[in-house]
Each structure stands twice: as structure tokens, then as C-alpha cells.
Amino acid sequence: MMTTPAQATARRTDRLAAGAATVTVVLWASAFVSIRSAGSAYSPGALALGRLLAGAVTLGAICLIRREGWPPRSAWRGIAVSGVLWFGVYMVALNWGEQQVDAGTAALVVNIGPILIALLGARLLGDAMPPRLLAGMAVSFAGAVAVGLSMSGEGGSSVLGVVLCLLAAVTYAAGVVAQKPVLGRASPLQATTFGCLVGAVACLPFAGQLVHEAADAPVSATLNMLYLGVFPTALAFTTWAYALARTTASRMGATTYAVPALVVLMSWLFLGEVPGLMTLAGGVLCLAGVAVSRSRPRAAAPEREPERA
């Protein structure tokens, strides 16, 4: 069966979007390793502001080189909402929450985010929720629970920490759903650059803390903060927006369930934290669920006409 030019273009677009999503989840997974280093020297608000400033400077320079210009007026409302909620509140709440609860509890609570994205996407954006997507998310969430339970018990948990992680999950989901319509009006680079800038402005009350803590922080912590701004923020949020513009919010949310599995692998490789069997099994489930959620049903074979006598 011959492939039409339209089908070839669609397949190429799908491959590019899948590649962009892969870059995003790998860099977001690496962020958890860097946050652990930078978070020992920087308070939650200061770390979020430093990360966003580094990201905004990087993205602004790219925009100037590419002559992107300003987003259209119709895109600003969504950019402002996603900037405040996702780039601003989410990063502060996540940084703060992870200091109040153990890693396992944080992983369990934050990973309800993709489920909220699917529910909000279906309600507000009209996203379809096919059985494969729901099944994949269920498998991935089970894997995230396994990873979280296997990591729990090494630290304390507080009600405040759980509430903060829940706030991070809700603002992450709301920010993604707010960003999706923007990408029909503005480019992924514009949406990410100005969303990051809005988030940085929202975090300016922490500027005094950032200046004070930067003076005493070790070089490694500051370098990790700059890494968070350039790669998991500037680059990963742009590739996320590129992929989100070419698929549904629900499918993109389900893709982020690969992050816990990658965090386990990176902690093993770079921090020497050898995972247990339950952790490994959970990581495999996360990846398997993502594969199911992103798969497409095979097209039914056309029925053959009965032969005429």
C-alpha cells in the first residue's frame, strides 16, 4: 500500500514530536538530581527564581537571534496563566514540598499531575480519552506508586509537605491545559520564553534570598541551578511546547510518566543509589504504561468483497 505525501508528512511530524517529548522527559528527570544538589544551598523560592532567570536569559537570547518577536495579543492570557501557575507556583511548591516529605511521598503525590491533565483536557479542551490512553496511564501510575513506596521510609513526611506536592501537581496540570490553546496562536519558543519570564516576575519577591544565598552557596550548587535554568527549563520546556502543539495534552501528560523510571536510572548511574527490585519493577511499569498510552490501534483491514460467481 503506497504512502501518500500527507501521510508521510504526518508520520514525520509524529516522529519529531516524539523526539521532542523524549528530550523533555530526559531533561526533566535530570532536574531531580540537580535539585537535590542545589536545594541544599538554596531555599525553594530562591532556587526557583535563579532557575527561571537563567532560563529567561537563555530563551531571550535565542528569541533575539531567531527574531521571534512578541506573541500575538490573543496568546497573552494563556501565557500569563501558565507562566504564573506552571513556571512560578509549581517550581516553588515542588522545591518546598520535597524538603518537607521524603522522596517517595513526593513522587506519589506529584504523579497525580498527568491524571489531572487528562481530566482537565477532556473537560476544557475536548481531548479524547481512548481506552489505550487510560490503560497506559493506569499502568504507569501503578509503576509510580511502586517507585514511591520503595523510596519511602527514609525521611519524614508532614501535612504541609503533602499539601505543597499536591499544589505542585494541580498547578502543573492547570498550566499545561492553559498552555495548549496558546500554541495555536504563538510559536513554542514564544510561549516558553514569555511563560518563563512571567514566572520569573512572579518569583521576584525571593530576589533578596537569592542574592544572600548565592554569596554563600558552593559553586557546585550554583552551577546546578544554572543547569536547571538552561536545560530542564529553557530547552526542555521548549521541546515540550513543540510536542504539545502536535498532540493532545492528555497524551503529553501520560508521556511524563517516563520521568520516574529515568530518575531511578540516573540516581543509579550518577549518585550510586542502587535501586531495589520493587523500584526497578516500578520503573519498568512506568515505561510500559507510556508505551501503551502513546500507541495507536492498528487500522482494521478492509473487508474483501465477495467473489462473484
Side-chain angles (χ1 to χ4, degrees):
M1 185 177 179
M2 294 185 63
T3 302
T4 65
Q7 290 174 327
T9 300
R11 289 180 181 177
R12 180 174 179 272
T13 300
D14 286 345
R15 286 196 295 268
L16 289 174
T22 300
V23 171
T24 296
V25 297
V26 169
L27 290 177
W28 282 357
S30 74
F32 284 87
V33 178
S34 292
I35 287 173
R36 292 175 62 178
S37 172
S40 62
Y42 288 96
S43 59
L47 177 57
L49 177 58
R51 174 179 178 176
L52 288 168
L53 288 175
V57 170
T58 303
L59 289 164
I62 296 173
C63 277
L64 289 175
I65 294 172
R66 292 178 57 86
R67 298 180 180 179
E68 281 281 319
W70 292 80
R73 183 179 299 179
S74 60
W76 270 104
R77 181 179 178 181
I79 288 175
V81 172
S82 64
V84 171
L85 293 180
W86 194 10
F87 288 84
V89 178
Y90 165 77
M91 290 192 182
V92 176
L94 182 63
N95 293 342
W96 191 3
E98 288 193 352
Q99 292 181 359
Q100 301 293 318
V101 300
D102 59 61
T105 302
L108 285 173
V109 179
V110 172
N111 273 301
I112 70 170
I115 297 174
L116 295 177
I117 290 174
L119 295 175
L120 290 174
R123 176 69 176 173
L124 302 177
L125 303 177
D127 286 355
M129 298 183 69
R132 284 173 180 260
L133 174 63
L134 296 176
M137 292 183 70
V139 172
S140 289
F141 186 69
V145 170
V147 171
L149 290 176
S150 67
M151 294 166 62
S152 297
E154 297 179 0
S157 294
S158 68
V159 174
L160 174 61
V162 172
V163 170
L164 287 167
C165 290
L166 181 60
L167 176 62
V170 171
T171 51
Y172 156 51
V176 170
V177 173
Q179 187 188 60
K180 174 62 177 175
V182 170
L183 297 169
R185 306 180 181 96
S187 70
L189 182 57
Q190 288 175 326
T192 305
T193 300
F194 289 93
C196 185
L197 184 60
V198 168
V201 171
C203 290
L204 282 179
F206 302 106
Q209 291 181 9
L210 176 61
V211 172
H212 175 74
E213 292 168 7
D216 299 324
V219 175
S220 60
T222 301
L223 289 177
N224 271 291
M225 181 175 66
L226 294 177
Y227 169 82
L228 288 168
V230 175
F231 293 99
T233 303
L235 178 55
F237 274 79
T238 301
T239 52
W240 164 276
Y242 176 87
L244 181 61
R246 289 155 178 81
T247 187
T248 65
S250 302
R251 289 190 72 198
M252 281 301 295
T255 303
T256 61
Y257 273 124
V259 171
L262 294 174
V263 170
V264 170
L265 178 61
M266 291 180 180
S267 297
W268 189 0
L269 294 176
F270 300 115
L271 301 179
E273 298 177 354
V274 180
L277 290 178
M278 186 175 179
T279 307
L280 287 174
V284 171
L285 281 176
C286 286
L287 295 177
V290 171
V292 171
S293 66
R294 293 194 64 87
S295 65
R296 298 181 185 275
R298 294 181 179 179
E303 295 183 3
R304 295 180 59 185
E305 294 185 4
E307 296 181 1
R308 296 181 180 179

mmCIF file of all heavy atoms in Angstrom, residues 9 88 105 145 148 163 240 248 250 255-256 277 302 309:
data_model
loop_
_atom_site.group_PDB
_atom_site.id
_atom_site.type_symbol
_atom_site.label_atom_id
_atom_site.label_comp_id
_atom_site.label_asym_id
_atom_site.label_seq_id
_atom_site.Cartn_x
_atom_site.Cartn_y
_atom_site.Cartn_z
ATOM 1 N N THR A 9 4.049 13.167 5.624
ATOM 2 C CA THR A 9 4.247 14.377 6.427
ATOM 3 C C THR A 9 3.763 14.161 7.855
ATOM 4 O O THR A 9 4.417 14.573 8.817
ATOM 5 C CB THR A 9 3.503 15.561 5.797
ATOM 6 O OG1 THR A 9 3.992 15.783 4.476
ATOM 7 C CG2 THR A 9 3.694 16.824 6.629
ATOM 8 N N GLY A 88 5.937 29.468 37.800
ATOM 9 C CA GLY A 88 6.123 30.109 39.088
ATOM 10 C C GLY A 88 5.732 29.254 40.275
ATOM 11 O O GLY A 88 6.582 28.698 40.981
ATOM 12 N N THR A 105 7.108 9.902 48.991
ATOM 13 C CA THR A 105 5.832 10.592 49.139
ATOM 14 C C THR A 105 5.673 11.680 48.095
ATOM 15 O O THR A 105 4.597 11.845 47.502
ATOM 16 C CB THR A 105 5.719 11.197 50.553
ATOM 17 O OG1 THR A 105 5.860 10.162 51.527
ATOM 18 C CG2 THR A 105 4.377 11.881 50.739
ATOM 19 N N VAL A 145 3.559 4.474 41.807
ATOM 20 C CA VAL A 145 3.266 4.099 43.191
ATOM 21 C C VAL A 145 4.329 3.131 43.714
ATOM 22 O O VAL A 145 4.824 3.274 44.842
ATOM 23 C CB VAL A 145 1.867 3.466 43.296
ATOM 24 C CG1 VAL A 145 1.663 2.846 44.672
ATOM 25 C CG2 VAL A 145 0.790 4.517 43.035
ATOM 26 N N GLY A 148 7.470 5.038 44.337
ATOM 27 C CA GLY A 148 7.312 5.883 45.517
ATOM 28 C C GLY A 148 7.365 5.089 46.812
ATOM 29 O O GLY A 148 8.043 5.489 47.766
ATOM 30 N N VAL A 163 0.613 18.772 51.165
ATOM 31 C CA VAL A 163 -0.201 19.830 50.555
ATOM 32 C C VAL A 163 0.592 20.570 49.475
ATOM 33 O O VAL A 163 0.061 20.883 48.402
ATOM 34 C CB VAL A 163 -0.704 20.820 51.628
ATOM 35 C CG1 VAL A 163 -1.345 22.042 50.989
ATOM 36 C CG2 VAL A 163 -1.700 20.137 52.550
ATOM 37 N N TRP A 240 8.928 20.542 24.984
ATOM 38 C CA TRP A 240 7.589 20.159 25.459
ATOM 39 C C TRP A 240 6.513 20.903 24.672
ATOM 40 O O TRP A 240 5.546 20.300 24.195
ATOM 41 C CB TRP A 240 7.459 20.462 26.949
ATOM 42 C CG TRP A 240 6.043 20.456 27.444
ATOM 43 C CD1 TRP A 240 5.139 21.481 27.394
ATOM 44 C CD2 TRP A 240 5.338 19.357 28.039
ATOM 45 N NE1 TRP A 240 3.937 21.101 27.922
ATOM 46 C CE2 TRP A 240 4.034 19.802 28.328
ATOM 47 C CE3 TRP A 240 5.706 18.058 28.375
ATOM 48 C CZ2 TRP A 240 3.074 18.985 28.926
ATOM 49 C CZ3 TRP A 240 4.747 17.240 28.971
ATOM 50 C CH2 TRP A 240 3.462 17.702 29.237
ATOM 51 N N THR A 248 -2.309 15.871 21.924
ATOM 52 C CA THR A 248 -3.224 16.326 22.969
ATOM 53 C C THR A 248 -2.491 16.489 24.291
ATOM 54 O O THR A 248 -1.437 15.889 24.523
ATOM 55 C CB THR A 248 -4.372 15.328 23.159
ATOM 56 O OG1 THR A 248 -3.846 14.081 23.640
ATOM 57 C CG2 THR A 248 -5.115 15.091 21.841
ATOM 58 N N SER A 250 -3.521 15.366 27.070
ATOM 59 C CA SER A 250 -3.619 14.098 27.795
ATOM 60 C C SER A 250 -2.472 13.158 27.437
ATOM 61 O O SER A 250 -1.857 12.540 28.311
ATOM 62 C CB SER A 250 -4.957 13.422 27.483
ATOM 63 O OG SER A 250 -6.036 14.266 27.829
ATOM 64 N N THR A 255 3.002 10.891 28.843
ATOM 65 C CA THR A 255 4.409 10.683 28.487
ATOM 66 C C THR A 255 5.336 10.978 29.657
ATOM 67 O O THR A 255 6.392 10.346 29.805
ATOM 68 C CB THR A 255 4.783 11.565 27.288
ATOM 69 O OG1 THR A 255 3.914 11.267 26.198
ATOM 70 C CG2 THR A 255 6.218 11.340 26.850
ATOM 71 N N THR A 256 4.945 11.920 30.523
ATOM 72 C CA THR A 256 5.829 12.296 31.627
ATOM 73 C C THR A 256 5.952 11.193 32.678
ATOM 74 O O THR A 256 6.777 11.301 33.587
ATOM 75 C CB THR A 256 5.342 13.589 32.313
ATOM 76 O OG1 THR A 256 4.030 13.375 32.856
ATOM 77 C CG2 THR A 256 5.287 14.735 31.312
ATOM 78 N N LEU A 277 14.534 -4.268 43.830
ATOM 79 C CA LEU A 277 13.719 -4.944 42.823
ATOM 80 C C LEU A 277 12.376 -4.241 42.633
ATOM 81 O O LEU A 277 11.873 -4.130 41.516
ATOM 82 C CB LEU A 277 13.498 -6.405 43.234
ATOM 83 C CG LEU A 277 14.733 -7.317 43.160
ATOM 84 C CD1 LEU A 277 14.384 -8.714 43.634
ATOM 85 C CD2 LEU A 277 15.279 -7.352 41.723
ATOM 86 N N PRO A 302 -9.323 -3.697 5.327
ATOM 87 C CA PRO A 302 -10.562 -3.535 4.576
ATOM 88 C C PRO A 302 -11.174 -4.889 4.241
ATOM 89 O O PRO A 302 -10.476 -5.854 3.951
ATOM 90 C CB PRO A 302 -10.098 -2.793 3.314
ATOM 91 C CG PRO A 302 -8.650 -3.106 3.184
ATOM 92 C CD PRO A 302 -8.135 -3.249 4.582
ATOM 93 N N ALA A 309 -19.938 -15.169 -8.736
ATOM 94 C CA ALA A 309 -19.927 -16.445 -9.444
ATOM 95 C C ALA A 309 -19.943 -16.224 -10.944
ATOM 96 O O ALA A 309 -20.547 -15.286 -11.436
ATOM 97 C CB ALA A 309 -21.158 -17.259 -9.046
#
